Amino acid sequence: MADAGNILVVIPARGGSKRLPRKNVLPLAGKPLICWTIEAALEARLNAKIVVTSDDREILGLAQQYESQGIIAHKRPDHLASDTAATASALTDVVEAQEGAGFTPHTIILLQPTSPLRNASDIVASLDLFHSTGCHDTVVSVCEVDHPTAWVGTMASNSVFANTKLSEMRSQEYAKEHRLNGAIYISRADVLKILALCSRAS
């Protein structure tokens, strides 16, 4: 793997969740959901600091169980754990805390706990891509869309399905499309700071 420099891996995990309450601590195949991401980050064996940022005592407690392996549990301010708080602001909070402790990261890797199937080799491959291609801002993980987005529409309150862009093409004739899958985001730290400033300004 290419020399990664100063890397900060951040695993953001709020305690609140509207669609699936307490999702980050719910069991998945014998362990809490967030543990899959923590263990993948550790197994990647990067020259990195790994921080779990959360407002939730139970989640922070889970992170502390990996403290002997280098995991840092960071208490996130409550105002950065609301439904409207931007992820970039939560990441910046971690970066600033680490800088205050004397660690200045160059590269930020964001691993969301809601993508537990991402493994250590995926993380390593993404970081290698980030360095080998001379990326100037970010690398993100994507997956192929199952069906053409031209088939996607909206459902009105009267149950009318509309706003599709249908044609006579067969599904295999459409160009392949991809979507963000939320598993891995890699960015330079200075790019992250610019995004955080923009979100504050807006």
Side-chain angles (χ1 to χ4, degrees):
M1 186 179 73
D3 182 13
N6 292 324
I7 303 170
L8 176 63
V9 177
V10 182
I11 302 172
R14 292 192 309 127
S17 175
K18 294 293 178 61
R19 288 179 296 181
L20 183 59
R22 308 295 299 161
K23 64 184 178 185
N24 287 309
V25 298
L26 292 178
L28 175 67
K31 67 182 74 172
L33 178 68
I34 191 172
C35 293
W36 291 97
T37 294
I38 293 173
E39 292 175 10
L42 289 169
E43 289 168 10
R45 299 187 182 280
L46 305 177
N47 180 23
K49 280 199 173 186
I50 306 173
V51 177
V52 173
T53 172
S54 181
D55 60 312
D56 186 83
R57 183 177 300 178
E58 184 179 2
I59 293 172
L60 292 172
L62 288 170
Q64 287 167 350
Q65 293 178 14
Y66 296 88
E67 193 172 28
S68 64
Q69 300 177 63
I71 297 296
I72 299 168
H74 175 77
K75 177 66 169 69
R76 188 190 309 186
D78 290 340
H79 72 279
L80 294 180
S82 67
D83 291 336
T84 57
T87 300
S89 296
L91 289 175
T92 301
D93 173 61
V94 174
V95 172
E96 290 175 349
Q98 288 300 308
E99 288 176 340
F103 175 70
T104 302
H106 175 269
T107 303
I108 311 295
I109 301 178
L110 170 68
L111 303 176
Q112 297 187 125
T114 46
S115 297
L117 300 184
R118 162 250 300 113
N119 57 33
S121 61
D122 294 327
I123 299 170
V124 172
S126 297
L127 187 59
D128 281 343
L129 180 65
F130 182 77
H131 289 286
S132 66
T133 58
C135 291
H136 296 293
D137 13 65
T138 59
V139 163
V140 297
S141 59
V142 298
C143 60
E144 189 174 340
V145 177
D146 293 335
H147 301 289
T149 53
W151 297 1
V152 176
T154 56
M155 185 72 76
S157 57
N158 60 356
S159 298
V160 173
F161 180 61
N163 296 320
T164 56
K165 297 178 181 178
L166 299 179
S167 72
E168 295 183 357
M169 290 194 301
R170 298 173 299 167
S171 61
Q172 59 267 37
E173 293 175 328
Y174 284 90
K176 285 187 177 181
E177 297 176 298
H178 296 79
R179 65 169 178 83
L180 295 171
N181 61 21
I184 302 170
Y185 297 87
I186 303 178
S187 173
R188 292 199 331 260
D190 56 340
V191 172
L192 171 64
K193 289 180 179 179
I194 291 171
L195 290 175
L197 286 172
C198 290
S199 67
R200 290 172 186 170
S202 61

